[in-house]
């Protein structure tokens, strides 16, 4: 049996991509294999680890729990889309570097996307709120302390951006 | 692992969606996919057709009236959780929803999908049972309302027919002189609980005239137990112990990889006392 493919258009990081995928292609695999955007990582493939988290219309979602065909028509942001337009690190990336929020980096793309949406919703999180923000993401290396610090620092950097822009 | 091949349709109307389901006995509805996609990826399910209902108009609603809360099949957990009117009319809904998975999963998963999925470890099926709500479903023969007493028939099994789509859930409003509470124990906040208990307590003056508790992750279907008689009208250390005894007589806690039956019984006992106390307190505050 040959499997039917669907022609889809995916808007990722503001760029329209076309791909022909079988219905069962997970969004995470479409990003990595069909579009070559390997920043999105795949750990557990059943929604538990959070490594594959991307933003769908600005909200963090598991790309391993969505089919690429279902994602057509939505705006997807992956970790590749978090840098500033001039290529400098975005606030969450900058904060991870300053606070040593990563070690091996496997979990990092999922944390960066989750936190980007988290501080957009809550621009001044307490430490507890920062902890809750990342509670759905697993990291095997860091012990989370520096990730929580990075959330607070990222919020600070993002607020400074806002003030600068205003 | 990856899902086995399937045909995919994403209809734009309820009629088309029902036709797609009716045409294929092996078809399944895809809502948020937060339970279904893992099952497909692990190949615990392999439907021939997936009917993606995410484009159906008019199902993405949360409507609140004096009677209660109506939640459409496309309303995500996150949207229901942050609706202030829901919290006002039936506070048990957000109390429980705050414990459903992590925020990222709540952004995609639907409350109605969780009700249909019928997991005894899930919060909302138990809450629907405790509040005596219902589920409206559409099928080839039209629409029908399934009272929750007829909804849960076995482990991970609801009484929907394979060609029906759940369109709206109804959670009745908080009654006067009534308080609610919810608590669960999970390894990590947002994970499935090892045991969770909710309570609804109604007062007449100082007297407890009704007290019910709902249990998740204790038996293989969501359980609700009437504690009114065991409490004997009041909330004291002795009456709470009697209520917990009465509950445990009817519950049959199970052992699994997460917790032993004994540990679950212990959690059920401790949480029963806590939530009945808290719901009683809320009912008194509501009165004053
Ligand atoms: C890591 C992780 C942790 C989680 N933790 C929890 C938790 O602690 N508590 C909890 O309650 N849930 C938890 N969930 C599950 C989550 O709440 C899901 O949102 C929910 O179980 C299913 O909703 P859904 O919309 O994603 O349904 P889907 O996954 O799309 O569907 C689930 C089932 O319901 C059927 N279905 C869905 N909608 C309809 C409809 N309208 N009509 C007919 N059939 C329908 C589908 O065919 C399928 O059989 C967790 C999920 C993950 C991935
Ligand atoms: S790979 Fe998606 S959550 Fe683990
Ligand atoms: S940095 Fe290694 S898993 Fe998080």
């Amino acid at each position: 049996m040959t499997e039917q493919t669907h022609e889809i258009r995916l808007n990722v990081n503001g760029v329209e991509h076309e791909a022909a995928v079988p219905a069962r292609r997970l969004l995470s695999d479409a990003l990595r294999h069909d579009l070559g955007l390997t920043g999105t990582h795949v750990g557990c493939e059943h929604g538990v680890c959070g490594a594959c988290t991307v933003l769908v219309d600005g909200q963090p979602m598991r790309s391993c729990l969505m089919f690429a065909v279902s994602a057509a028509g939505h705006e997807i942001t992956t970790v590749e889309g978090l840098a500033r337009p001039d290529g400098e690190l975005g606030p969450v990336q900058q904060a991870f570097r300053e606070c040593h929020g990563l070690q091996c980096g496997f979990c990092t793309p999922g944390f960066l996307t989750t936190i980007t949406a988290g501080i957009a919703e809550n621009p001044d999180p307490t430490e507890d709120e920062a902890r809750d923000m990342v509670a759905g993401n697993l990291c095997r290396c860091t012990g989370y302390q520096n990730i929580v610090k990075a959330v607070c620092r990222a919020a600070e950097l993002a607020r400074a951006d806002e003030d600068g822009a205003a | 692992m990856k899902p086995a091949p399937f045909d995919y349709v994403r209809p734009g109307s309820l009629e088309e969606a029902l036709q797609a389901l009716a045409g294929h006995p092996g078809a399944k509805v895809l809502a948020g996919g937060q339970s279904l996609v893992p099952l497909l990826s692990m190949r615990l399910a392999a439907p021939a057709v997936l009917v993606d209902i995410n484009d159906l108009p008019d199902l993405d609603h949360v409507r609140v009236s004096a009677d209660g809360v109506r939640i459409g099949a496309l309303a995500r957990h996150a949207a229901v959780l942050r609706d202030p009117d829901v919290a006002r009319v039936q506070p048990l809904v957000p109390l429980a929803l705050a414990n459903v998975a992590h925020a990222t999963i709540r952004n995609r998963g639907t409350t109605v999908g969780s009700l249909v999925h019928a997991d005894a470890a899930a919060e909302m099926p138990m809450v629907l049972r405790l509040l005596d709500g219902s589920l409206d479903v559409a099928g080839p023969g039209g629409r029908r309302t399934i009272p929750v007493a007829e909804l849960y028939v076995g482990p991970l099994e609801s009484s929907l027919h394979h060609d029906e789509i759940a369109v709206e859930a109804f959670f009745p409003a908080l009654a006067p002189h009534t308080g609610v509470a919810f608590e669960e124990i999970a390894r990590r906040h947002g994970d499935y609980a090892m045991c969770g208990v909710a309570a609804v307590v109604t007062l007449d003056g100082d007297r407890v005239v009704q007290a019910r508790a709902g249990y998740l992750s204790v038996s293989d279907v969501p359980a609700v137990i009437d504690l009114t008689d065991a409490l004997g009208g009041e909330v004291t250390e002795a009456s709470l112990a009697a209520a917990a005894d009465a509950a445990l007589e009817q519950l049959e806690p199970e052992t699994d990889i997460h917790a032993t039956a004994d540990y679950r019984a212990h959690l059920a006992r401790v949480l029963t006392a806590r939530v009945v106390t808290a719901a009683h307190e809320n009912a008194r505050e509501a009165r004053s």
Side-chain angles (χ1 to χ4, degrees), chain A residues 28 41-53 62-65:
Chain A
S28 45
H41 288 176
V42 173
C44 65
E45 236 168 40
H46 55 270
V48 174
C49 74
C52 69
T53 306
R62 303 295 202 231
S63 62
C64 74
L65 297 188

Side-chain angles (χ1 to χ4, degrees), chain B residues 81-158:
Chain B
L81 179 56
R82 80 169 90 83
D83 190 316
D85 292 331
V86 172
R88 188 170 45 75
V89 168
Q90 184 42 269
L92 187 55
V93 168
L95 282 176
L97 270 176
N99 291 276
V100 173
H102 304 280
T104 302
I105 288 155
R106 293 197 296 264
N107 283 337
R108 184 83 187 152
T110 65
T111 302
V112 166
S114 163
L115 295 173
V116 177
H117 190 57
D119 191 337
E123 286 77 6
M124 299 319 283
M126 180 271 264
V127 168
L128 193 75
R129 268 214 68 193
L130 179 61
L131 296 176
D132 228 351
S134 58
L135 190 67
D136 277 14
V137 304
R143 219 169 137 135
R144 65 179 179 125
T145 299
I146 309 178
V148 71
E150 292 162 25
L151 185 61
Y152 295 118
V153 292
L156 290 173
E157 199 184 344
S158 51

Side-chain angles (χ1 to χ4, degrees), chain A residues 21-116:
Chain A
V21 296
R24 61 176 164 152
R25 178 81 90 240
L26 301 170
L27 176 58
S28 45
D29 289 335
L31 292 169
R32 292 177 57 84
H33 303 304
D34 297 299
L35 308 187
L37 294 167
T38 53
T40 297
H41 288 176
V42 173
C44 65
E45 236 168 40
H46 55 270
V48 174
C49 74
C52 69
T53 306
V54 300
L55 306 183
V56 179
D57 301 327
Q59 290 195 311
M61 293 189 188
R62 303 295 202 231
S63 62
C64 74
L65 297 188
M66 249 180 117
F67 294 112
V69 282
S70 305
H74 296 279
E75 285 183 17
I76 315 291
T77 307
T78 66
V79 68
E80 287 93 344
L82 299 185
R84 295 174 195 274
D86 62 5
E88 291 291 306
L89 297 181
V92 187
Q93 295 168 315
Q94 179 67 30
F96 263 62
R97 185 160 84 177
E98 285 178 23
C99 302
H100 304 287
L102 69 149
Q103 286 183 28
C104 79
F106 186 80
C107 67
T108 308
F111 276 96
L112 296 180
T113 47
T114 303
I115 295 165
T116 298

